[in-house]
Amino acid sequence: MPHARAVSSLPRHIAVAYGLLIVYACLHPLTGWRPTGLPLLDFLAAPWPKYYRSADIVLNVLGFLPFGFVLAPALPQRLGRGAGVAISTLVAALLSFAMEVTQNFLPTRVPSNVDLACNITGALIGALAGARWGHPLFDQSGWLHRWRSACIIPGHIGDFGLILLGLWLLAQFTPDRVLFGSGDLRQLLGLPTPLRFEPERYILLETVQVAVTTLGVGLFARCMMRSASPWPIALLLLLGIGAKSVATASFYLPGEALLWLTPGTRQGLLLGLPLLAATLLLASVLQHALAGVALLAATSLTNLLPENPYFEVGHRMLGQGNFLNFHGLTELSANLWPFLALAYLSAVGLWRGEHLTRH
């Protein structure tokens, strides 16, 4: 196979990560496991559900579409487009079927042949698009691979960094938390809030938390970059703000996409963005150290920040239908992200040390 047509490892890594996200979303909240006593495959012959919304169809199709899109270019090109589409769709169908069967053991989930059909349809559409545009996008002659080679550190360590940035963007679709907030151990462990809600104290903590998180996320992205250009970091933060705005407009009041822009958040951005710009002028070793310190500080502040009663109105919508699944996925991403990011920074430090030793 010519070098220019070699398959990049990035779509394979994305496919594995996305598959794990699908498993979590389909089985959320992962509690109350018990057999129902019904035949496991009864749902395949079930009639059309009495209560089934068009939004459920759209979400089930869209949920598997990216999976099919990255699966197709992850396969060798020698298989051909037709075989690539068939294999990608089959893998996605088997995953969806396994999730629907497993839902028989969860009291909060209902296996559905309609969901299965929508998942397969989404995977097929994605695989068709991936077979057509995926290889030019991901292969070593494609523009995405060229950009990745020029701007991101090489090897699996660079791929994992990009996946972590994708998880960070996914976490921003959580509407009921402070901008860029992540690492909430209280929610993971069921711990009480250490501080009572007081407006002045909340605004102060929110200001510092947003500023420190902006610094940490920006420097985290810089640590995996080859070049010192600030524009990819600026684009990442803008995408994060856009994701938060979409989530706010979707789960709270339509047309109120900037409800997240509280006084504390505004002050935090006004403080954090210039601070980030200044630290981008430092040596890379200092940026690396500051990234870890900032993420640790931001995570600590997230766990100190009192519960905001104004977010409670959104929880009612977040518990409905597929919104519950998506919200569970974004919550998991937000809660785990800083710890994965800190582990990644350690790995990057080791990689750079070995790289310097070899050279």
Side-chain angles (χ1 to χ4, degrees), residues 102-176:
T102 307
Q103 285 176 4
N104 280 291
F105 300 94
L106 286 169
T108 57
R109 308 307 301 268
V110 178
S112 168
N113 51 6
V114 179
D115 288 354
L116 176 61
C118 291
N119 293 160
I120 295 174
T121 301
L124 175 60
I125 295 172
L128 288 169
R132 173 62 181 85
W133 294 291
H135 282 290
L137 183 67
F138 289 110
D139 286 357
Q140 293 184 6
S141 60
W143 70 266
L144 182 60
H145 184 83
R146 294 197 304 271
W147 172 84
R148 186 224 176 286
S149 298
C151 298
I152 307 298
I153 58 179
H156 298 319
I157 196 79
D159 289 350
F160 293 150
L162 290 173
I163 290 172
L164 280 177
L165 290 182
L167 287 177
W168 181 80
L169 287 175
L170 176 65
Q172 305 319 304
F173 284 98
T174 305
D176 55 337

Side-chain angles (χ1 to χ4, degrees), residues 8 17 32 34 43 50 54 77 113 121 123 130-131 134 186 193 212 231 233 268 279 305 326 329 350:
S8 168
R34 64 173 183 266
F43 72 94
K50 185 176 182 180
S54 57
Q77 276 191 298
N113 51 6
T121 301
R186 295 175 311 182
T193 303
V212 173
W231 299 115
I233 298 173
T279 56
L305 202 65
F326 183 72
L329 187 59
L350 291 173

